Amino acid sequence: MTSRFEPMSLTRPGVSDKGNQQILEAAAEAFNRRGFAATSIDDIADALGATKGRIYHYYRSKLDIFLDVLVASMRDLLEKLQPILTDSERSPEQRLYDAAYMHATTMMTRRSFSRVAIQGLEAPVLAEAQTKRADAVNLFIGLRDRYEDGFADLVEQGRASGVFRDVDPRLATKPIFGALNWINMWYDPAQESQAGVAAIAEEFAVFIVNGLRRREPVPGP
Amino acid sequence: MTSRFEPMSLTRPGVSDKGNQQILEAAAEAFNRRGFAATSIDDIADALGATKGRIYHYYRSKLDIFLDVLVASMRDLLEKLQPILTDSERSPEQRLYDAAYMHATTMMTRRSFSRVAIQGLEAPVLAEAQTKRADAVNLFIGLRDRYEDGFADLVEQGRASGVFRDVDPRLATKPIFGALNWINMWYDPAQESQAGVAAIAEEFAVFIVNGLRRREPVPGP
DNA sequence: GTCTATAATTTGATAGAC
DNA sequence: GTCTATCAAATTATAGAC
């Protein structure tokens, strides 16, 4: 078996990377719009100005395309998180702020991919995919768990240093991702009346760090 | 046209309320499991130990059933919120705590219905339903807006009294509902390792009120 | 590498027996 | 009021021409 985080191809063997990427983008957009079940292969082909023959040249099934979007999206988030986690110049609460800010921004600027990734977090979808493509689903879950662990570690460090309340880091992670992932549900770049990306990301990051913070200052030694 | 919040029947005329309720419960459970698009009428019928003939005796279409679940769920939340909003013995921040606690609890104890309601908040689903059943969709949106307004008012009151940070109440409402609605994504009553309903609801309500709170105490007069 | 059939299935909805 | 039978449409996936 391949290592859990090695690149793993969900495309048919030997296809070009460029055509592949085009299909992936179009699929992300289509899945984003209507969800996995309601999106047909024709929808994706239409978005490309092509017919399904093209799609099936690259992918064996609709599920494979979906999982490929999922994995790409999770990988992108994880790559952005890594340098934040290891920035030794920033305190745990500052790093949590940075991580939340990054995640919020990604939800707004890479809407299609991140929304599809969130669909993939839903238990029923994953459970069904498990039976058909356990390898890819396990890869995705592995990436997701590493990502969540990163946030939980920051919470734990902030707790240990006395800045955060005495919370269970795993449980504390839930409202954080809830608040952040939910952005996908309401943020609409076309709607002028909404605040800008930076203002929203800032408010969310403040809200999250503040929510975890102890109210009283820690007594000095 | 009927008043926006009057009871509005999505069933076929003249059917019994009891059979209707049974179908509604089964439908909520099925939609919860697999989502609107992936759920077939046969799935719902199976859950009842019946066949589709029975379903179509009560409802004209799958969309009508879905919208009926949506409205029922939103009504339930709104009815629970009302007494909290008007409890003059509690401060705005205490009432926001109560409201968040109630919402969190509802997400965990009425899983099927509330999850379906959340699916209904997704723009693509609503947009498509709009074209086919504008009356029911508008009813649902009206209920949802009233519910959100209740939360926004509490935030505004807390801000006015100096307890909460200087936030835009509308924007502040987003991470609140995000954190709370997301519970549906991960909470699993069958999983023993998770904290109990009360412990989770409490942590979420604390997190939310804390996230909005000013860090420094307000200077006295 | 992309297209045009076309096969095989699933599914929403109806009609009519009981 | 519920069931069986069935139609009509949509959709996944394949085969084979170009």
Side-chain angles (χ1 to χ4, degrees):
Chain A
M1 106 176 198
T2 62
S3 155
R4 280 195 350 183
F5 307 124
E6 280 299 298
M8 189 195 73
S9 183
L10 285 157
T11 59
R12 298 188 116 111
V15 299
S16 92
D17 235 43
K18 197 177 130 204
N20 180 6
Q21 201 58 37
Q22 269 181 30
I23 290 175
L24 217 54
E25 293 279 348
E29 175 60 23
F31 286 136
N32 165 45
R33 278 193 137 81
R34 335 214 324 139
F36 174 72
T39 299
S40 72
I41 304 279
D42 281 328
D43 289 338
I44 301 172
D46 285 353
L48 285 165
T51 64
K52 31 175 170 228
R54 176 137 148 225
I55 312 283
Y56 280 108
H57 178 68
Y58 288 84
Y59 287 94
R60 235 177 284 275
S61 73
K62 184 169 101 164
L63 182 63
D64 280 8
I65 308 174
F66 184 71
L67 291 172
D68 218 8
V69 175
L70 241 56
V71 169
S73 182
M74 215 52 240
R75 250 195 249 281
D76 175 55
L77 280 171
L78 200 49
E79 270 162 27
K80 287 178 181 158
L81 180 64
Q82 224 60 260
I84 293 171
L85 291 181
T86 55
D87 183 346
S88 57
E89 310 224 317
R90 311 260 298 158
S91 67
E93 64 273 20
Q94 284 173 326
R95 275 178 280 156
L96 184 63
Y97 177 97
D98 295 343
Y101 191 98
M102 177 279 289
H103 192 105
T105 305
T106 305
M107 291 299 117
M108 291 180 272
T109 55
R110 308 220 6 148
R111 286 175 54 70
S112 307
F113 274 84
S114 50
R115 180 137 179 201
V116 174
I118 288 169
Q119 283 176 47
L121 297 176
E122 292 189 56
V125 184
L126 265 200
E128 217 191 308
Q130 262 284 9
T131 68
K132 292 178 183 165
R133 261 222 164 264
D135 53 349
V137 172
N138 289 339
L139 171 64
F140 172 69
I141 290 177
L143 293 167
R144 182 202 66 184
D145 288 349
R146 279 216 295 176
Y147 190 75
E148 289 186 1
D149 286 347
F151 277 74
D153 283 352
L154 292 177
V155 172
E156 170 55 24
Q157 288 170 37
R159 194 197 62 77
S161 76
V163 177
F164 288 158
R165 289 183 289 115
D166 203 14
V167 292
D168 167 19
R170 267 290 144 204
L171 183 58
T173 261
K174 306 297 190 188
I176 295 175
F177 284 119
L180 294 173
N181 289 337
W182 195 250
I183 293 174
N184 253 315
M185 291 291 236
W186 55 268
Y187 177 74
D188 177 5
Q191 230 176 304
E192 303 274 340
S193 65
Q194 288 180 347
V197 170
I200 292 172
E202 192 190 327
E203 169 56 27
F204 272 64
V206 167
F207 178 83
I208 285 167
V209 173
N210 212 36
L212 290 172
R213 214 168 235 141
R214 235 182 241 290
R215 306 250 331 271
E216 306 303 319
V218 195
Chain B
M1 109 177 197
T2 63
S3 156
R4 277 193 354 179
F5 307 125
E6 280 299 297
M8 190 195 72
S9 184
L10 284 158
T11 58
R12 298 187 116 114
V15 298
S16 92
D17 235 43
K18 196 176 131 205
N20 181 6
Q21 201 57 38
Q22 268 181 30
I23 290 175
L24 216 55
E25 293 279 348
E29 175 61 24
F31 287 136
N32 166 44
R33 280 193 135 82
R34 336 215 324 140
F36 174 71
T39 298
S40 72
I41 303 278
D42 281 328
D43 289 338
I44 300 172
D46 285 353
L48 286 166
T51 65
K52 8 170 189 242
R54 176 137 146 224
I55 312 282
Y56 279 107
H57 177 68
Y58 288 85
Y59 286 95
R60 234 177 283 276
S61 73
K62 184 168 99 163
L63 182 63
D64 281 7
I65 308 173
F66 184 71
L67 291 173
D68 217 8
V69 175
L70 241 56
V71 170
S73 182
M74 214 51 240
R75 248 194 250 279
D76 175 56
L77 280 170
L78 200 50
E79 269 163 28
K80 287 177 180 159
L81 180 65
Q82 225 60 261
I84 294 172
L85 292 181
T86 55
D87 183 348
S88 57
E89 310 225 317
R90 312 259 301 157
S91 68
E93 64 272 21
Q94 283 173 327
R95 275 177 281 156
L96 183 63
Y97 177 97
D98 295 342
Y101 190 99
M102 177 278 287
H103 191 106
T105 304
T106 305
M107 292 297 117
M108 292 181 271
T109 56
R110 307 221 6 149
R111 288 175 54 70
S112 307
F113 274 85
S114 49
R115 182 139 180 198
V116 174
I118 288 169
Q119 283 176 48
L121 297 176
E122 291 190 56
V125 184
L126 265 200
E128 219 191 306
Q130 262 283 8
T131 67
K132 294 178 184 166
R133 262 218 163 267
D135 53 349
V137 172
N138 289 338
L139 171 65
F140 172 69
I141 290 178
L143 293 168
R144 181 201 67 183
D145 288 349
R146 278 213 299 173
Y147 190 75
E148 289 186 2
D149 284 348
F151 277 74
D153 283 350
L154 292 178
V155 172
E156 170 55 23
Q157 288 171 35
R159 195 197 62 75
S161 75
V163 176
F164 289 157
R165 291 184 287 115
D166 202 14
V167 292
D168 167 18
R170 265 290 144 206
L171 182 58
T173 261
K174 306 296 190 190
I176 295 176
F177 284 119
L180 294 174
N181 288 337
W182 195 250
I183 293 175
N184 253 315
M185 291 290 235
W186 56 267
Y187 177 73
D188 178 4
Q191 229 175 305
E192 303 274 339
S193 65
Q194 289 181 345
V197 169
I200 292 172
E202 192 191 327
E203 169 55 27
F204 273 63
V206 167
F207 178 84
I208 284 167
V209 173
N210 213 36
L212 289 173
R213 213 167 235 142
R214 235 180 241 291
R215 300 216 14 235
E216 308 302 318
V218 194

